[in-house]
């Protein structure tokens, strides 16, 4: 439909080469084969560090959802410490060659939820296949021609599946929203995460997932647990009323 409405520009495909080496960046000279970047750690690093809170929160959430989809407890086996180390090593290697951060992106969780395919061998082969395709200039150019409306439609479905799987976890864990404590935590996280709230602490800025995750953890530690007999008493009073 995008092609019919003239939203796709195939000019990059015609200009691209059939075989093309991916553009990598390294912190040292390679004789002109790869580009070089300056490896630097300065005070600006403190402003970027909170991003780790975002990836850790997303990592735990995605593995919880994946566990529900696959019927396994990934946070216990292989264990959260191992999966977090895997994310850290992958991100370090990717950054070393000029790539983006690697983490358990919610988009991939959505794909697993929709396709119901979570086989490690299938995902490994798909990764090798993707690496091979990255050397085909024409193919990568075709990917770049996908218009924003198509990507937007995909995003609606993917993020919708992610949100639905999150709700599924709450339902299966039987989270009691009759308790004011749980209502406060969930409501605060939703408003902070979706409302665009920003918290600045000196050079550090927290927003989005990082801010709502931090707020959720702190509220979970601070707010007292409600006794079950109190809830039963309230229900009895409401019944009498």
């Amino acid at each position: 439909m995008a092609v019919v409405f003239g939203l796709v520009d195939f000019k990059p495909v015609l200009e691209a080469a059939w075989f093309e080496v991916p553009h990598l960046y390294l912190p040292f000279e390679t004789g002109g084969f790869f580009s070089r970047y300056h490896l630097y750690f300065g005070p600006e690093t403190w402003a970027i560090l909170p991003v780790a809170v975002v990836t850790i929160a997303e990592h735990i959430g995605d593995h919880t959802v994946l566990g529900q989809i696959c019927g396994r407890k990934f946070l216990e086996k292989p264990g959260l410490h191992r999966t977090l180390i895997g994310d850290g090593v992958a991100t370090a290697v990717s950054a070393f060659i000029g790539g983006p951060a690697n983490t358990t992106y919610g988009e991939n969780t959505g794909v697993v939820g929709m396709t119901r395919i979570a086989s490690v061998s299938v995902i490994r082969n798909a990764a090798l296949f993707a690496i091979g395709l990255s050397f085909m200039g024409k193919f990568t150019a075709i990917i770049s021609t996908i218009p924003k409306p198509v990507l937007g439609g995909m995003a609606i479905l993917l993020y919708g599946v992610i949100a639905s799987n999150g709700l599924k976890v709450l339902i299966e864990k039987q989270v009691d929203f009759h308790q004011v404590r749980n209502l406060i935590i969930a409501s605060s996280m939703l408003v902070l995460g979706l409302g665009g709230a920003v918290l600045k602490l000196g050079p550090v800025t927290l927003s989005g997932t990082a801010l709502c995750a931090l707020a959720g953890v702190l509220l979970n530690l601070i707010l007292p647990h409600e006794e079950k007999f109190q809830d039963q008493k309230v229900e009895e009073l409401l019944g009498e009323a």
Side-chain angles (χ1 to χ4, degrees):
M1 292 300 296
V3 173
V4 172
F5 284 107
L7 299 176
V8 182
D9 181 15
F10 289 105
K11 185 177 179 181
V13 181
L14 300 175
E15 295 177 349
W18 285 100
F19 178 81
E20 200 170 75
V21 178
H23 199 180
L24 303 179
Y25 295 82
L26 296 174
F28 49 81
E29 290 289 347
T30 56
F33 191 68
F34 295 121
S35 298
R36 181 184 181 183
Y37 67 85
H38 176 58
L39 187 63
Y40 166 77
F41 290 95
E44 298 85 356
T45 307
W46 293 105
I48 301 175
L49 281 178
V51 176
V53 179
V54 179
T55 57
I56 291 172
E58 185 178 16
H59 178 101
I60 296 172
D62 287 341
H63 275 72
T64 302
V65 173
L66 281 173
Q68 294 293 326
I69 295 173
C70 302
R72 299 175 59 183
K73 296 181 180 180
F74 294 120
L75 298 182
E76 297 179 7
K77 185 180 180 180
L80 181 60
H81 60 296
R82 289 189 173 89
T83 55
L84 280 174
I85 289 174
D87 264 3
V89 172
T91 297
V93 173
S94 177
F96 185 79
I97 59 176
N102 290 277
T103 183
T104 49
Y105 291 110
E107 295 86 337
N108 299 331
T109 305
V111 170
V112 173
M114 288 189 296
T115 62
R116 315 302 294 182
I117 298 175
S119 169
V120 175
S121 60
V122 171
I123 295 174
R124 180 189 62 244
N125 293 338
L128 295 174
F129 190 64
I131 292 173
L133 290 176
S134 68
F135 288 87
M136 299 176 61
K138 295 287 186 183
F139 182 82
T140 55
I142 289 176
I143 297 298
S144 69
T145 63
I146 298 177
K148 291 183 178 179
V150 177
L151 294 175
M154 294 167 59
I156 290 173
L157 185 59
L158 280 174
Y159 288 111
V161 170
I162 297 167
S164 299
N165 280 324
L167 292 174
K168 178 183 175 184
V169 172
L170 293 176
I171 294 171
E172 292 184 352
K173 295 296 183 181
Q174 297 182 342
V175 177
D176 185 8
F177 282 104
H178 284 99
Q179 294 192 16
V180 179
R181 177 182 187 276
N182 293 337
L183 274 177
I184 292 175
I185 295 174
S187 302
S188 301
M189 293 182 69
L190 283 173
V191 172
L192 292 173
L194 300 177
V198 177
L199 175 63
K200 292 185 177 181
L201 301 172
V204 178
T205 301
L206 296 174
S207 62
T209 306
L211 183 58
C212 72
L214 183 60
V217 171
L218 292 177
L219 287 174
N220 186 57
L221 294 173
I222 295 172
L223 295 179
H225 289 269
E226 299 177 39
E227 299 294 337
K228 291 185 178 180
F229 73 87
Q230 290 180 342
D231 293 337
Q232 294 172 357
K233 187 64 177 177
V234 170
E235 291 178 2
E236 292 174 2
L237 292 173
L238 289 175
E240 293 175 0

